[in-house]
Structure formats: C-alpha cells, structure tokens
Amino acid sequence: MDAFTTLTSLAVPLRMANVDTDQLIPARFLKQPRSWGYDTALFHDLRRDEAGVLRDDFVLNAPHWQDARILVADRNFGCGSSREGAVYALFDAGFRCVIAPSFGDIFYSNSTKNGLLPVKLDRDEVSRIWRTAETDPNGLLTVDLERQHVRLGDGLTFGFEIDPFRKHCLLNGLDDIALTLEHEAAIAAHEVTLADAKPWLAK
C-alpha cells in the first residue's frame, strides 16, 4: 500500500454522525471486484436520488470538493458491519484521511491496513475544521502523521494519538502481506530447516 507521511488538501465538511458502512457502500455493490472501482458506489444512496441522479444538496457532489483528499465527519464514523469495501470506496474516491471524533472499531482497523489514515479529534476541534472549510473554501488542511498533528491554514494545530504500530505501518506503506514479507529470509530458512528435519512434509 502507499505510505502516508504528510497530506495537504481541501477538507470536505461532512456534518453527519453515525455514518455506517452500508451508507459508505451499500451491500449490493460488494459483489463487484475491486477493479470495478468502488468509488462509484461511495455514499451511493445518499449522493443520488431514486432515479440515480446526483443530488445537489449532498456535500460530496459539489464541484469544489472533487479533488479533496480529507473527509471530516462526525461521531461514530464507519460503524456497522465489518465490510472492508467501505474503506476501498473512500480510498478509490481519492480520500487518504478521515477525521472524526470517533470511529467504528473495525472500520478504524481496516483503514490503517489499507493506507487510509483515521484521525480522532475532539468534537470542538472537528467543528472548528468544519467552520473553516465552509467559510474559507480555498483553505487547505495539513495532516502530519510523523508529528501527529492537524494544521489549519491559519496555523492553528490540533494533536492526535495513534498506536505506534499502526503509525509505523502507515509511514512505511506496510499492509499485512508486506509485514510478513519483511521476514521472508527467516521464513525461507525455516522451510529449508523443516524440509531437512521432516522430509516427509515436502512430499
């Protein structure tokens, strides 16, 4: 996966709490392969009306936010089922960071394993970012994982916490497979030793 170090981008103010994984990507789209492009299903039933037409009143449909890579939401973002497709949909749509006061536990874990940084900030800090995004549409937000802070365009900075192991994986672009391959030499040596000690296992 791509490493995450520092990101500067517009931040989409999504003033919604309890956004669940079925809202992020409805279950009917999960049968599609990843190559299909999960971004087309992101917030599908919220972004579109019954005829499938994009709604003007949904923030992510505004042309101004199309290149934004940071989403700023309310409490309990990503709650609900364990579907990894919810993270795929955000990532495929270009998002690399979601900021919220709290997250669904499984969504949070899935995010860090797929290069999407979930940042927990206090509700008051999230509200400040919303107001800034809405009143200064050209204002950029910077997320610095190494220093563990979020900085507004006026210099105001908020710190955040993250597990050191998750931080290491994100900074170095290590998913579960890459973590395993860090021990490739030791695994290969073990296989040779095992084959010598128990040759019948190799048959």
Side-chain angles (χ1 to χ4, degrees), residues 174 176-193:
L174 300 173
D176 287 348
I177 294 174
L179 280 168
T180 301
L181 291 177
E182 285 191 316
H183 306 284
E184 187 173 11
I187 294 170
H190 170 74
E191 292 293 331
V192 171
T193 301

Side-chain angles (χ1 to χ4, degrees), residues 86-133:
V87 176
Y88 296 163
L90 287 161
F91 193 93
D92 290 353
F95 290 104
R96 295 295 177 269
C97 177
V98 179
I99 298 172
S102 58
F103 293 89
D105 290 341
I106 299 175
F107 175 86
Y108 186 95
S109 177
N110 286 340
S111 294
T112 61
K113 292 181 179 183
N114 285 280
L116 180 71
L117 174 63
V119 172
K120 297 178 184 178
L121 294 181
D122 290 342
R123 182 58 160 62
D124 290 344
E125 295 170 340
V126 168
S127 295
R128 175 61 186 270
I129 297 173
W130 283 338
R131 292 195 301 272
T132 299

